[in-house]
Amino acid sequence: MTALPARSRVGLAQAVRDTAVITKRNLLRNVRLPQLLLFSTVQPVMFLLLFNYVFGGAIGRAIPPAAGGKYINWLIPGLVVQVATFGAGQTALGLTEDLSKGVIDRFRSLPMARSAVLAGRTMSDLIRNGLIISLMLGVGFLIGFRYQTDFVRLVAGVAVALAFTYAMSWVMAAIGLAVKNPEAAQSAVFLPVFPLVFASSVFVPTQTMPDWLRAFADNQPITVTTNALRGLILGEGALLPGQTVEGQILAALAWAAGILAVFAPLAVRVYRRTVS
Amino acid sequence: MSGPIVEAEGVVKTFGPIRALDGVDISFEAGIIYGLLGPNGAGKTTLIRVLTTLIRPDAGTARVAGIDVLADPTAARTKMGLAGQFAAVDDYLTGRENVEMVGRLYGLSRGDARRRAAEVLERIGLVDAADRPVRTYSGGMRRRLDLAASMVGRPQVLFLDEPTTGIDPRSRIDIWNLIQDLVADGTTILLTTQYLDEADQLAARVAVIDCGRVITEGTPSELKDKLGGAVVELTVTDDCRDQTLAALATVTGEQPAYEPSTKKITVPAPDGARTLMAVVRSLDSSEIVPDDITLRKPTLDDVFLALTGHHAEDQTQTSATKPRRPRRIR
Ligand SMILES: Nc1ncnc2c1ncn2[C@@H]1O[C@H](COP(=O)(O)OP(=O)(O)OP(=O)(O)O)[C@@H](O)[C@H]1O
Ligand SMILES: [Mg+2]
């Protein structure tokens, strides 16, 4: 019987390996229960269909011509950001589920990198949300969405959305770990997110909102990220006068970096407090 | 390696107003099964969580395999395995994937993890089900899988929190055999249980824990000696109870215990059947016919009644009301 050597510190290589193991474990769930991915895609597709066919005609008049005269072109970048935001909520749900099932205790009793539990969870959710966004773009193409720039810019837009969803995953991790139980996490996560998504440029241009709301809507991260995507996918004409595509991309990335800088350490601290 | 393999000293852990551990000392040598026996809420799980680095105690020290678990938790974790009170397995992975994942997290290479997983699954009797999702497993199978996962890193010390609770009698024997095999191979095991017979069957030494304190410690036979081996238990009609209690005291030289809620009278029977016959003769001569009379082995409840003066099951209720007078221990 060969005993494992006692190791006081977990090296970086081991930490990366452990993170990969946890990421794979989390992703396998989506593979084994493909319904999970499908259901997560159904909701944005439903929004897509509802908004496109129900409100599209009315809203269509208010959108910039850069959208090629089709509301769906304007809506898709917004919905990508909506998926990025809601999808991040999955991080809270996954963590609370692992907490309540004792899986996190098992991980913590192993000589693995402590960081791997959170790093693996946010990584697997990033991959998962990337898949859902791709699926949704696919459905969008089927019902008439066309990017107005080029494919590289579309991909760049998705990358900006992924940076945002990754940062939001850490916010959700902190929320989930603070409330601990899966049922409470469900509402704790979506309650703050709903108003943020609707009071933004995701569905309608902010110009039609009352001034006080518009002041908020124009400057919150979901709008900024949506603008960056619209600039990339539809061109500068989709932005407000005075805004540039580069400016919106930089602002969106700055938001993502800022959120990450605040919430990643916070989530780690809440994790340490929650589990002991 | 000499000296104790697990050693806890003065461990205190409070949760708000609850003192889950109130100064626990345990210590035992390698190569044995050590039993931690106690009722619900005694502090068994909390002690295991301290020893396995899951929580930090408010006071006290703990060493596992010579490593201070508070000072060097990561090193301590390489030496131990944990199967918690509730099986922590992933439903949507297969049994094999679960075990391999834990092996990887112990630091085994992919190939080693695969080989080792096959080994422990074989050993634990889950080969046939190994490639099925855990979702389709029975409760007992999940428990066994959890045990397999805890063994995969070849830990020197295994912590098993109530490994047989909620498991049918046959699987229970399987798990007992497995635990005994592991010890034969040189693993040290600390297991918690609520069952006296389990501690008796498996453990070389037992600590009885109650309200966060070790109330007695020793080999199972030392423990039972404290109770005098067997107990006579009988019920009589209310009008002849006092007469019965007096008769029993004379025959056995012990003060019998009367439990109003069940109307049961118990008295130690140091000489087993001989004591029972003496009791029957004495009752017969007083023309008392009991409704029911049995000679039985002491249960955990008797240990508790004897050592703490309250029953194992209703300790919260009892400590809230007036404590019962402890029965005398021989
Ligand atoms: N995280 C916690 N927060 C608050 N109280 C706790 C916590 N963990 C344990 N306790 C309390 O500490 C005491 C000891 O609990 P513990 O789980 O160690 O008991 P146990 O002996 O394992 O019981 P059981 O046989 O029911 O598993 C109980 O009163 C319990 O309510
Ligand atoms: Mg317990």
Side-chain angles (χ1 to χ4, degrees):
Chain A
M1 189 159 118
T2 50
L4 291 165
R7 208 166 358 118
S8 301
R9 292 202 55 79
V10 177
L12 184 64
Q14 166 88 26
V16 170
R17 229 186 64 170
D18 290 347
T19 302
V21 171
I22 303 283
T23 303
K24 182 180 158 203
R25 172 245 175 199
N26 295 344
L27 284 174
L28 270 175
R29 162 172 219 172
N30 292 295
V31 176
R32 297 291 151 74
L33 297 170
Q35 308 93 294
L36 276 183
L37 270 185
L38 271 172
F39 272 113
S40 316
T41 315
V42 163
Q43 194 233 16
V45 166
M46 203 174 68
F47 271 107
L48 178 62
L49 297 177
L50 280 176
F51 272 84
N52 190 43
Y53 293 119
V54 178
F55 303 119
I59 303 174
R61 272 178 268 282
I63 60 166
K70 285 197 291 186
Y71 177 59
I72 190 169
N73 288 343
W74 201 76
L75 182 60
I76 285 275
L79 280 179
V80 168
V81 178
Q82 187 218 4
V83 170
T85 312
F86 282 160
Q90 213 55 43
T91 304
L93 302 183
L95 281 174
T96 49
E97 194 168 302
D98 285 350
L99 264 182
S100 64
K101 286 198 171 158
V103 176
I104 298 221
D105 275 356
R106 152 134 282 149
F107 289 153
R108 291 180 60 247
S109 74
L110 298 175
M112 60 183 278
R114 286 173 56 130
S115 56
V117 174
L118 290 183
R121 168 58 63 185
T122 49
M123 181 55 67
S124 61
D125 286 340
L126 175 66
I127 296 172
R128 173 184 176 278
N129 291 333
L131 273 174
I132 295 177
I133 287 173
S134 312
L135 263 165
M136 205 198 60
L137 282 175
V139 176
F141 270 111
L142 287 182
I143 61 169
F145 162 68
R146 295 292 178 270
Y147 49 82
Q148 304 294 304
T149 51
D150 52 50
F151 186 70
V152 174
R153 270 173 240 246
L154 174 70
V155 173
V158 171
V160 172
L162 291 181
F164 183 67
T165 196
Y166 188 70
M168 285 304 286
S169 265
W170 286 94
V171 177
M172 300 304 182
I175 295 178
L177 291 167
V179 300
K180 289 180 197 166
N181 98 18
E183 287 77 30
Q186 188 88 29
S187 38
V189 157
F190 291 112
L191 228 55
V193 154
F194 255 100
L196 275 176
V197 166
F198 279 93
S200 76
S201 66
V202 164
F203 298 108
V204 294
T206 54
Q207 291 98 305
T208 56
M209 297 177 188
D211 285 347
W212 59 270
L213 184 59
R214 189 176 168 192
F216 168 78
D218 271 341
N219 294 296
Q220 58 121 324
I222 291 182
T223 298
V224 173
T225 309
T226 304
N227 289 348
L229 262 73
R230 288 211 173 107
L232 279 164
I233 295 173
L234 305 177
E236 199 150 278
L239 303 178
L240 296 178
Q243 290 177 340
T244 62
V245 179
E246 292 74 25
Q248 294 302 301
I249 295 173
L250 283 180
L253 293 180
W255 265 110
I259 291 171
L260 198 60
V262 171
F263 282 91
L266 182 70
V268 170
R269 187 158 345 139
V270 181
Y271 176 69
R272 292 210 175 125
R273 212 198 51 210
T274 299
V275 294
S276 61
Chain B
M1 188 170 32
S2 58
I5 189 137
V6 173
E7 203 178 5
E9 246 180 62
V11 175
V12 174
K13 178 71 194 176
T14 56
F15 296 105
I18 301 166
R19 282 180 91 77
L21 296 177
D22 193 10
V24 169
D25 302 310
I26 59 165
S27 165
F28 56 92
E29 70 275 21
I32 66 162
I33 301 176
Y34 191 83
L36 210 55
L37 182 64
N40 289 137
K44 304 182 294 294
T45 299
T46 306
L47 182 57
I48 286 208
R49 289 173 64 81
V50 168
L51 292 172
T52 54
T53 75
L54 294 181
I55 51 175
R56 289 185 78 84
D58 301 325
T61 58
R63 300 176 75 80
V64 173
I67 299 169
D68 185 330
V69 301
L70 299 174
D72 199 354
T74 305
R77 287 177 202 134
T78 58
K79 302 289 179 194
M80 57 197 180
L82 165 68
Q85 187 165 357
F86 305 100
V89 287
D90 276 327
D91 274 339
Y92 42 89
L93 301 188
T94 66
R96 192 185 305 282
E97 284 166 343
N98 265 286
V99 179
E100 279 179 11
M101 177 184 73
V102 174
R104 293 281 285 153
L105 294 174
Y106 263 109
L108 298 179
S109 71
R110 200 167 283 150
D112 283 349
R114 195 174 309 134
R115 273 187 292 279
R116 184 67 189 141
E119 235 171 87
V120 292
L121 286 165
E122 164 92 56
R123 179 156 199 180
I124 212 140
L126 279 178
V127 175
D128 293 341
D131 295 309
R132 262 168 41 194
V134 173
R135 194 162 9 101
T136 65
Y137 282 23
S138 71
M141 288 163 80
R142 299 167 71 91
R143 225 39 230 252
R144 264 150 58 203
L145 181 66
D146 199 39
L147 221 80
S150 70
M151 287 157 49
V152 70
R154 299 182 206 276
Q156 282 179 34
V157 188
L158 254 185
F159 295 89
L160 309 178
D161 198 356
E162 303 197 18
T164 64
T165 299
I167 285 194
D168 70 57
R170 239 192 67 193
S171 310
R172 196 158 169 234
I173 306 282
D174 288 346
I175 289 186
W176 284 6
N177 289 337
L178 179 81
I179 291 174
Q180 276 159 336
D181 283 355
L182 285 170
V183 171
D185 284 357
T187 310
T188 307
I189 293 176
L190 183 143
L191 66 83
T192 73
T193 179
Q194 301 190 33
Y195 309 118
L196 188 62
D197 66 324
E198 184 160 288
D200 193 14
Q201 280 285 324
L202 294 176
R205 299 184 69 78
V206 176
V208 179
I209 175 167
D210 182 40
C211 300
R213 248 171 289 187
V214 175
I215 52 178
T216 185
E217 207 265 354
T219 65
S221 58
E222 282 168 358
L223 234 131
K224 277 187 288 185
D225 281 352
K226 284 190 175 161
L227 289 160
V231 192
V232 170
E233 182 180 274
L234 65 159
T235 45
V236 294
T237 50
D238 286 349
D239 48 321
C240 49
R241 186 190 317 133
D242 291 339
Q243 204 185 348
T244 308
L245 290 174
L248 290 176
T250 323
V251 176
T252 63
E254 295 273 351
Q255 193 58 45
Y258 172 65
E259 173 56 52
S261 62
T262 57
K263 295 194 184 298
K264 278 186 179 143
I265 298 169
T266 47
V267 70
D271 300 323
R274 237 174 252 285
T275 311
L276 175 66
M277 284 160 70
V279 166
V280 170
R281 273 195 297 273
S282 152
L283 292 179
D284 193 36
S285 66
S286 315
E287 295 188 338
I288 300 170
V289 180
D291 295 339
D292 188 27
I293 183 162
T294 53
L295 177 72
R296 59 170 177 79
K297 294 261 184 294
T299 61
L300 176 59
D301 200 42
D302 295 312
V303 178
F304 271 81
L305 200 57
L307 294 172
T308 68
H310 65 72
H311 287 270
E313 284 81 27
D314 62 349
Q315 63 160 326
T316 42
Q317 200 188 328
T318 329
S319 52
T321 58
K322 185 165 65 71
R324 242 169 288 219
R325 190 170 52 87
R327 199 172 74 184
R328 246 183 60 217
I329 303 170
R330 284 203 326 161

